[in-house]
Amino acid sequence: VGVGGSGKQSLTRLASYIAGNNVFQITITKNYSTSNLFDDIKVLYRTAGVKGTAVTFIFSDAEVKDEGFLEYINQILATGEVSNLFAKDEIDAILTDMRPVAKKEIKGFIDTADNLLKFFMDRVRNNLHVVLSMSPVGSTLASRARKFPGIINCVSVDWFL
């Protein structure tokens, strides 16, 4: 949390580089919608879960084109899952990709769909780091914190003063 130009995103990129994380940030366009956000989150989940790559997802208040976007960010922060993110066929493809990884990493892995999905989500939770870059100016942050409590309760807040 800090005013614009205080170095929030720059410091995040530097810290991610030092930690060896890939950095991902959405690019807002005139036609960017919830379906585009879902597509971007799917890429993040596949990178963090299937590939096992550490990813830092930077989401700033300037990228909140629709307040509904924060509902999905809130879900990611609170539970690590976004409801109805993947269709059934996409889940089946993910489970197929995760099967050899799970068997290699966990000795005696019991190969069931539930165990594979849990393994996938655990890898996502371990490898996906969400950084919210917000400005405290005005009442927007306070209003969003009331509507979406995960953006305050499920994070560590660094104040850039």
Side-chain angles (χ1 to χ4, degrees):
V1 176
V3 295
S6 61
K8 300 179 299 283
Q9 291 185 43
S10 298
L11 187 59
T12 298
R13 290 179 187 283
L14 176 63
S16 296
Y17 174 77
I18 291 170
N21 292 6
N22 293 339
V23 175
F24 181 84
Q25 190 167 13
I26 63 173
T27 305
I28 296 293
T29 61
K30 189 170 85 170
N31 298 324
Y32 196 88
S33 65
T34 302
S35 64
N36 298 111
L37 179 66
F38 266 39
D39 292 341
D40 287 337
I41 294 173
K42 286 178 186 180
V43 169
L44 283 171
Y45 272 50
R46 285 189 180 106
T47 303
V50 176
K51 294 181 183 175
T53 305
V55 181
T56 301
F57 175 36
I58 301 174
F59 191 78
S60 73
D61 50 3
E63 293 158 350
V64 182
K65 187 172 180 184
D66 176 9
E67 287 286 316
F69 288 6
L70 287 172
E71 176 60 33
Y72 304 114
I73 299 300
N74 189 61
Q75 288 179 26
I76 292 170
L77 293 170
T79 65
E81 298 182 30
V82 177
S83 58
N84 300 320
L85 178 64
F86 294 106
K88 177 71 173 129
D89 60 329
E90 293 174 313
I91 291 174
D92 290 341
I94 288 170
L95 297 182
T96 301
D97 292 342
M98 291 305 298
R99 186 167 282 112
V101 177
K103 287 182 178 180
K104 180 180 177 186
E105 288 190 17
I106 301 174
K107 188 172 184 164
F109 181 77
I110 300 170
D111 189 357
T112 65
D114 288 341
N115 287 345
L116 285 169
L117 190 58
K118 182 183 180 316
F119 179 71
F120 170 74
M121 290 310 302
D122 287 346
R123 279 176 58 123
V124 169
R125 287 184 191 102
N126 288 335
N127 291 322
L128 179 61
H129 307 278
V130 180
V131 177
L132 301 177
S133 175
M134 304 279 181
S135 174
V137 177
S139 62
T140 308
L141 179 60
S143 171
R144 289 175 175 167
R146 282 190 296 275
K147 290 179 194 171
F148 311 105
I151 67 172
I152 298 296
N153 296 339
C154 301
V155 300
S156 298
V157 179
D158 288 329
W159 287 91
F160 286 75
L161 302 174

